[in-house]
Amino acid sequence: QVRLIESGGGLVHPGDSLRLSCAASGRTFTNDDMGWFRQAPGKEREFVAGTRWRSGRTYSTYYSNFVKGRFTISRANAGNTVTLQMNKLDPEDTAVYYCAADSSPLGPGSAPSYWGQGTQVTVSP
């Protein structure tokens, strides 16, 4: 069974940082995309960031515009882990953050094959 398990969410103040991590099991994600989506109450799911692992390294990374240079995504463990370093967090970043993976590129409107259970990020003054 394929599983994606997130960790690292929490309650922080504006301007603080968090690092989210996701570990995959049940299959390898070499040459696949892994990334992050988020969903706030009453809002649609948003793409946050994604990565492609190829030839033993992070082949590419891509971010939504609202990140504005604040977030950094990275891959490790032969592409089976993904992290999201979030800096200068704002209350608008409050959401449940979901790890996702698929053989096709991740981005706005994509429908990944695999999802994690989500980790809550709350940014409050």
Side-chain angles (χ1 to χ4, degrees):
Q1 182 178 357
V2 176
R3 307 183 79 142
L4 304 177
I5 302 177
E6 306 100 329
S7 63
L11 173 63
V12 297
H13 296 138
D16 286 353
S17 297
L18 282 174
R19 180 183 288 111
L20 306 183
S21 297
C22 175
S25 63
R27 59 157 287 178
T28 61
F29 287 92
T30 303
N31 298 319
D32 293 332
D33 266 29
M34 292 186 71
W36 296 89
F37 294 77
R38 71 185 188 185
Q39 188 167 24
K43 296 184 178 180
E44 295 183 348
R45 185 184 66 198
E46 294 181 305
F47 171 74
V48 179
T51 69
R52 170 67 59 164
W53 185 269
R54 178 174 292 178
S55 300
R57 65 180 180 88
T58 300
Y59 184 76
S60 60
T61 61
Y62 19 96
Y63 300 89
S64 292
N65 288 335
F66 64 76
V67 171
K68 298 180 180 179
R70 299 177 298 129
F71 295 179
T72 302
I73 191 168
S74 60
R75 293 273 284 277
N77 189 29
N80 290 304
T81 61
V82 61
T83 63
L84 184 69
Q85 177 67 45
M86 304 185 294
N87 299 324
K88 299 181 179 180
L89 286 163
D90 186 89
E92 293 294 324
D93 297 315
T94 296
V96 177
Y97 285 70
Y98 296 93
C99 180
D102 201 273
S103 60
S104 297
L106 299 178
S110 65
S113 297
Y114 306 103
W115 292 93
Q117 80 284 357
T119 184
Q120 177 71 48
V121 172
T122 302
V123 186
S124 176

